[in-house]
Coordinates of all heavy atoms in Angstrom, one line a residue:
Chain A
R14 N -7.7 -5.2 -10.1 CA -7.7 -5.7 -11.5 C -8.0 -7.2 -11.5 O -7.2 -7.9 -10.9 CB -6.4 -5.3 -12.2 CG -6.4 -5.6 -13.6 CD -5.3 -5.0 -14.3 NE -5.4 -5.4 -15.7 CZ -4.5 -5.2 -16.6 NH1 -3.4 -4.5 -16.3 NH2 -4.6 -5.6 -17.9
P15 N -9.0 -7.6 -12.3 CA -9.2 -9.1 -12.4 C -8.0 -9.9 -12.8 O -7.8 -11.0 -12.4 CB -10.3 -9.2 -13.4 CG -11.0 -7.9 -13.4 CD -10.0 -6.9 -13.1
A16 N -7.2 -9.3 -13.7 CA -6.0 -10.0 -14.2 C -5.1 -10.5 -13.0 O -4.4 -11.5 -13.1 CB -5.2 -9.1 -15.1
T17 N -5.0 -9.7 -12.0 CA -4.2 -10.0 -10.8 C -4.6 -11.4 -10.3 O -3.8 -12.3 -10.0 CB -4.3 -9.0 -9.7 OG1 -3.9 -7.7 -10.2 CG2 -3.5 -9.3 -8.5
F18 N -5.9 -11.5 -10.1 CA -6.4 -12.8 -9.4 C -6.5 -13.9 -10.4 O -6.3 -15.1 -10.0 CB -7.8 -12.5 -8.7 CG -7.6 -11.4 -7.7 CD1 -8.0 -10.1 -8.0 CD2 -7.0 -11.7 -6.5 CE1 -7.8 -9.1 -7.1 CE2 -6.8 -10.7 -5.6 CZ -7.2 -9.4 -5.9
I19 N -6.7 -13.6 -11.7 CA -6.8 -14.7 -12.7 C -5.4 -15.3 -12.8 O -5.2 -16.5 -12.8 CB -7.3 -14.1 -14.0 CG1 -8.8 -13.8 -13.9 CG2 -7.1 -15.1 -15.1 CD1 -9.4 -13.0 -15.0
T20 N -4.4 -14.4 -13.0 CA -3.0 -14.9 -13.1 C -2.6 -15.7 -11.9 O -2.1 -16.8 -12.1 CB -2.0 -13.6 -13.3 OG1 -2.6 -12.8 -14.3 CG2 -0.6 -14.1 -13.7
L21 N -2.8 -15.2 -10.7 CA -2.4 -15.9 -9.5 C -3.2 -17.2 -9.4 O -2.7 -18.2 -9.1 CB -2.7 -15.0 -8.3 CG -2.2 -15.6 -7.0 CD1 -0.7 -15.8 -7.0 CD2 -2.6 -14.6 -5.8
G22 N -4.5 -17.1 -9.7 CA -5.4 -18.3 -9.5 C -4.9 -19.4 -10.5 O -4.8 -20.6 -10.1
I23 N -4.6 -19.1 -11.7 CA -4.2 -20.1 -12.7 C -2.9 -20.7 -12.2 O -2.7 -21.9 -12.2 CB -4.1 -19.5 -14.1 CG1 -5.5 -19.1 -14.6 CG2 -3.4 -20.5 -15.0 CD1 -5.4 -18.4 -15.9
F24 N -2.0 -19.9 -11.8 CA -0.7 -20.4 -11.3 C -0.8 -21.3 -10.1 O -0.2 -22.4 -10.1 CB 0.3 -19.2 -11.0 CG 1.6 -19.7 -10.5 CD1 2.4 -20.5 -11.3 CD2 2.1 -19.4 -9.3 CE1 3.6 -21.0 -10.9 CE2 3.3 -19.8 -8.8 CZ 4.1 -20.7 -9.6
L25 N -1.6 -20.9 -9.2 CA -1.8 -21.7 -7.9 C -2.4 -23.0 -8.3 O -2.0 -24.1 -7.8 CB -2.6 -21.0 -6.9 CG -2.0 -19.7 -6.3 CD1 -2.9 -19.1 -5.3 CD2 -0.6 -20.0 -5.7
A26 N -3.4 -23.0 -9.2 CA -4.1 -24.3 -9.6 C -3.0 -25.2 -10.3 O -3.0 -26.4 -10.0 CB -5.2 -23.9 -10.6
L27 N -2.2 -24.6 -11.1 CA -1.2 -25.3 -11.8 C -0.2 -26.0 -10.9 O 0.2 -27.1 -11.0 CB -0.4 -24.4 -12.8 CG 0.5 -25.0 -13.8 CD1 -0.2 -25.9 -14.8 CD2 1.3 -24.0 -14.5
L28 N 0.2 -25.1 -9.9 CA 1.1 -25.6 -8.9 C 0.6 -26.8 -8.1 O 1.2 -27.8 -7.9 CB 1.4 -24.4 -7.9 CG 2.4 -24.5 -6.8 CD1 3.8 -24.6 -7.3 CD2 2.3 -23.4 -5.8
L29 N -0.7 -26.7 -7.7 CA -1.3 -27.7 -6.9 C -1.4 -29.0 -7.8 O -1.1 -30.1 -7.3 CB -2.7 -27.2 -6.5 CG -3.5 -28.0 -5.4 CD1 -2.7 -27.9 -4.1 CD2 -4.8 -27.4 -5.2
L30 N -1.9 -28.8 -9.0 CA -2.1 -30.0 -9.9 C -0.8 -30.7 -10.2 O -0.7 -31.9 -10.2 CB -2.8 -29.6 -11.2 CG -4.3 -29.3 -11.1 CD1 -4.8 -28.7 -12.4 CD2 -5.0 -30.5 -10.7
L31 N 0.2 -29.9 -10.5 CA 1.5 -30.5 -10.9 C 2.1 -31.3 -9.7 O 2.6 -32.5 -9.9 CB 2.5 -29.5 -11.3 CG 2.3 -29.0 -12.8 CD1 3.3 -27.9 -13.1 CD2 2.6 -30.2 -13.7
F32 N 2.1 -30.8 -8.5 CA 2.7 -31.5 -7.4 C 1.8 -32.7 -7.1 O 2.4 -33.8 -6.8 CB 2.9 -30.6 -6.2 CG 4.1 -29.8 -6.2 CD1 4.2 -28.5 -6.6 CD2 5.4 -30.5 -6.0 CE1 5.3 -27.8 -6.7 CE2 6.6 -29.7 -6.1 CZ 6.5 -28.4 -6.4
L33 N 0.5 -32.6 -7.2 CA -0.3 -33.8 -6.9 C 0.0 -34.9 -8.0 O 0.0 -36.1 -7.7 CB -1.8 -33.4 -6.9 CG -2.2 -32.6 -5.7 CD1 -3.7 -32.2 -5.8 CD2 -2.0 -33.4 -4.4
A34 N 0.2 -34.4 -9.3 CA 0.5 -35.4 -10.3 C 1.8 -36.1 -10.1 O 1.9 -37.3 -10.3 CB 0.5 -34.6 -11.7
V35 N 2.8 -35.3 -9.6 CA 4.1 -35.9 -9.3 C 3.9 -36.9 -8.1 O 4.5 -38.1 -8.2 CB 5.1 -34.8 -8.9 CG1 6.4 -35.5 -8.3 CG2 5.4 -34.0 -10.1
G36 N 3.1 -36.6 -7.1 CA 2.9 -37.5 -6.0 C 2.2 -38.8 -6.5 O 2.6 -39.9 -6.1
A37 N 1.2 -38.6 -7.4 CA 0.4 -39.8 -7.9 C 1.4 -40.6 -8.7 O 1.3 -41.9 -8.7 CB -0.7 -39.3 -8.7
S38 N 2.2 -40.0 -9.5 CA 3.2 -40.7 -10.4 C 4.1 -41.6 -9.5 O 4.4 -42.7 -9.8 CB 4.0 -39.8 -11.3 OG 3.1 -39.0 -12.0
Y39 N 4.6 -40.9 -8.5 CA 5.6 -41.6 -7.6 C 4.9 -42.9 -7.0 O 5.5 -43.9 -6.9 CB 6.1 -40.7 -6.5 CG 7.2 -41.3 -5.7 CD1 8.5 -41.3 -6.2 CD2 7.0 -42.0 -4.5 CE1 9.6 -41.8 -5.5 CE2 8.0 -42.6 -3.8 CZ 9.3 -42.5 -4.3 OH 10.3 -43.1 -3.6
R40 N 3.7 -42.7 -6.6 CA 2.9 -43.8 -6.0 C 2.7 -44.9 -7.0 O 2.9 -46.1 -6.6 CB 1.5 -43.3 -5.5 CG 0.7 -44.3 -4.8 CD -0.6 -43.7 -4.4 NE -1.4 -44.6 -3.7 CZ -2.5 -44.3 -3.1 NH1 -3.0 -43.1 -3.1 NH2 -3.2 -45.2 -2.5
T41 N 2.4 -44.6 -8.2 CA 2.2 -45.6 -9.2 C 3.6 -46.3 -9.5 O 3.6 -47.5 -9.6 CB 1.7 -44.9 -10.6 OG1 0.6 -44.1 -10.2 CG2 1.4 -45.9 -11.6
M42 N 4.6 -45.5 -9.6 CA 5.9 -46.0 -9.8 C 6.4 -47.0 -8.7 O 6.9 -48.1 -9.0 CB 6.9 -44.8 -9.9 CG 8.2 -45.2 -10.6 SD 9.5 -43.9 -10.4 CE 8.8 -42.5 -11.2
A43 N 6.1 -46.6 -7.5 CA 6.5 -47.4 -6.4 C 5.8 -48.7 -6.3 O 6.3 -49.7 -5.8 CB 6.2 -46.6 -5.1
A44 N 4.6 -48.8 -7.0 CA 3.8 -50.0 -7.0 C 4.3 -51.0 -8.0 O 3.9 -52.2 -8.1 CB 2.3 -49.7 -7.2
L45 N 5.1 -50.5 -9.0 CA 5.6 -51.3 -10.1 C 6.7 -52.3 -9.6 O 7.4 -52.0 -8.6 CB 6.1 -50.4 -11.2 CG 5.1 -49.6 -12.0 CD1 5.8 -48.6 -12.9 CD2 4.1 -50.5 -12.7
P46 N 6.9 -53.4 -10.4 CA 8.1 -54.2 -10.0 C 9.4 -53.4 -10.2 O 9.4 -52.4 -10.9 CB 8.0 -55.3 -11.1 CG 6.7 -55.2 -11.7 CD 6.1 -53.9 -11.5
A47 N 10.4 -53.7 -9.4 CA 11.6 -52.9 -9.3 C 12.2 -52.6 -10.7 O 12.7 -51.4 -10.9 CB 12.7 -53.7 -8.5
Q48 N 12.2 -53.5 -11.6 CA 12.9 -53.3 -12.9 C 12.1 -52.3 -13.8 O 12.6 -51.7 -14.8 CB 13.1 -54.6 -13.7 CG 11.9 -55.4 -14.1 CD 11.5 -56.3 -13.0 OE1 11.7 -56.1 -11.9 NE2 10.8 -57.4 -13.4
Q49 N 10.8 -52.0 -13.4 CA 10.0 -51.1 -14.2 C 9.9 -49.7 -13.6 O 9.2 -48.8 -14.1 CB 8.6 -51.7 -14.4 CG 8.6 -52.9 -15.3 CD 7.1 -53.5 -15.4 OE1 6.2 -52.8 -15.2 NE2 7.1 -54.8 -15.6
R50 N 10.6 -49.5 -12.5 CA 10.4 -48.3 -11.8 C 11.2 -47.1 -12.3 O 11.0 -46.0 -11.8 CB 10.8 -48.4 -10.3 CG 9.8 -49.2 -9.5 CD 10.2 -49.3 -8.1 NE 9.5 -50.3 -7.4 CZ 9.8 -50.8 -6.2 NH1 10.9 -50.3 -5.5 NH2 9.1 -51.7 -5.6
G51 N 12.0 -47.3 -13.3 CA 12.9 -46.2 -13.7 C 14.2 -46.2 -12.9 O 14.3 -46.9 -11.9
G52 N 15.1 -45.4 -13.3 CA 16.4 -45.3 -12.7 C 16.3 -44.8 -11.3 O 15.4 -44.0 -11.0
P53 N 17.3 -45.1 -10.5 CA 17.3 -44.5 -9.1 C 17.4 -43.0 -9.1 O 16.9 -42.3 -8.2 CB 18.5 -45.2 -8.5 CG 19.3 -45.8 -9.6 CD 18.4 -46.0 -10.7
Q54 N 18.1 -42.5 -10.2 CA 18.2 -41.0 -10.2 C 16.9 -40.3 -10.4 O 16.6 -39.3 -9.7 CB 19.1 -40.6 -11.4 CG 20.5 -40.4 -11.1 CD 21.3 -39.8 -12.2 OE1 21.0 -40.0 -13.4 NE2 22.3 -39.0 -11.9
A55 N 16.0 -40.9 -11.2 CA 14.7 -40.3 -11.4 C 13.9 -40.4 -10.1 O 13.2 -39.4 -9.8 CB 13.9 -41.1 -12.5
Q56 N 14.0 -41.5 -9.5 CA 13.2 -41.6 -8.2 C 13.7 -40.6 -7.2 O 13.0 -40.0 -6.4 CB 13.4 -43.1 -7.7 CG 12.5 -44.1 -8.5 CD 12.6 -45.5 -7.9 OE1 12.4 -45.6 -6.7 NE2 12.9 -46.4 -8.7
A57 N 15.1 -40.5 -7.2 CA 15.7 -39.6 -6.2 C 15.2 -38.1 -6.5 O 14.9 -37.3 -5.5 CB 17.2 -39.7 -6.2
A58 N 15.1 -37.8 -7.8 CA 14.7 -36.4 -8.1 C 13.3 -36.2 -7.7 O 13.0 -35.1 -7.2 CB 14.9 -36.3 -9.6
I59 N 12.4 -37.2 -7.9 CA 11.0 -37.0 -7.4 C 11.0 -36.9 -5.9 O 10.3 -36.0 -5.4 CB 10.2 -38.2 -8.0 CG1 10.1 -38.1 -9.5 CG2 8.8 -38.1 -7.4 CD1 9.3 -39.2 -10.1
R60 N 11.7 -37.7 -5.3 CA 11.7 -37.7 -3.8 C 12.2 -36.3 -3.3 O 11.7 -35.7 -2.4 CB 12.6 -38.8 -3.2 CG 11.9 -40.1 -3.0 CD 12.6 -41.0 -2.0 NE 14.0 -41.3 -2.4 CZ 14.4 -42.2 -3.3 NH1 13.5 -43.0 -3.8 NH2 15.6 -42.4 -3.5
A61 N 13.2 -35.8 -4.0 CA 13.7 -34.4 -3.6 C 12.6 -33.4 -3.7 O 12.6 -32.4 -3.0 CB 14.9 -34.1 -4.5
L62 N 11.8 -33.6 -4.7 CA 10.7 -32.6 -4.9 C 9.6 -32.7 -3.8 O 9.0 -31.7 -3.5 CB 10.0 -32.8 -6.3 CG 10.6 -32.1 -7.5 CD1 9.8 -32.5 -8.7 CD2 10.6 -30.6 -7.4
L63 N 9.4 -33.9 -3.4 CA 8.3 -34.2 -2.5 C 8.7 -34.3 -1.0 O 7.8 -34.2 -0.1 CB 7.5 -35.4 -2.9 CG 7.0 -35.4 -4.3 CD1 6.2 -36.7 -4.6 CD2 6.0 -34.2 -4.5
Q64 N 9.9 -34.6 -0.7 CA 10.3 -34.8 0.7 C 10.8 -33.5 1.3 O 11.7 -32.9 0.8 CB 11.3 -35.9 0.8 CG 10.7 -37.3 0.8 CD 11.7 -38.4 1.0 OE1 12.8 -38.4 0.4 NE2 11.4 -39.3 1.9
F65 N 10.2 -33.2 2.4 CA 10.7 -32.1 3.2 C 12.0 -32.5 4.0 O 12.1 -33.7 4.3 CB 9.7 -31.6 4.2 CG 8.5 -31.0 3.6 CD1 7.3 -31.7 3.4 CD2 8.5 -29.7 3.1 CE1 6.2 -31.1 2.8 CE2 7.4 -29.1 2.5 CZ 6.3 -29.8 2.3
P66 N 12.9 -31.6 4.2 CA 12.9 -30.2 4.0 C 13.4 -29.8 2.6 O 13.3 -28.7 2.2 CB 13.8 -29.7 5.0 CG 14.8 -30.7 5.2 CD 14.1 -32.0 5.0
A67 N 14.0 -30.8 1.8 CA 14.6 -30.4 0.5 C 13.5 -29.8 -0.4 O 13.8 -29.0 -1.3 CB 15.2 -31.6 -0.2
A68 N 12.2 -30.3 -0.2 CA 11.1 -29.8 -1.1 C 10.9 -28.3 -1.1 O 10.4 -27.8 -2.0 CB 9.9 -30.5 -0.6

Side-chain angles (χ1 to χ4, degrees):
Chain A
R14 189 168 176 187
T17 298
F18 301 99
I19 292 170
T20 309
L21 185 62
I23 293 173
F24 178 61
L25 295 182
L27 189 68
L28 184 71
L29 196 62
L30 284 174
L31 277 174
F32 276 103
L33 288 178
V35 171
S38 303
Y39 187 86
R40 183 182 181 169
T41 309
M42 199 192 298
L45 292 172
Q48 63 273 24
Q49 291 177 27
R50 283 183 197 168
Q54 263 190 329
Q56 287 184 49
I59 293 178
R60 275 199 304 277
L62 273 178
L63 300 183
Q64 275 187 313
F65 291 102

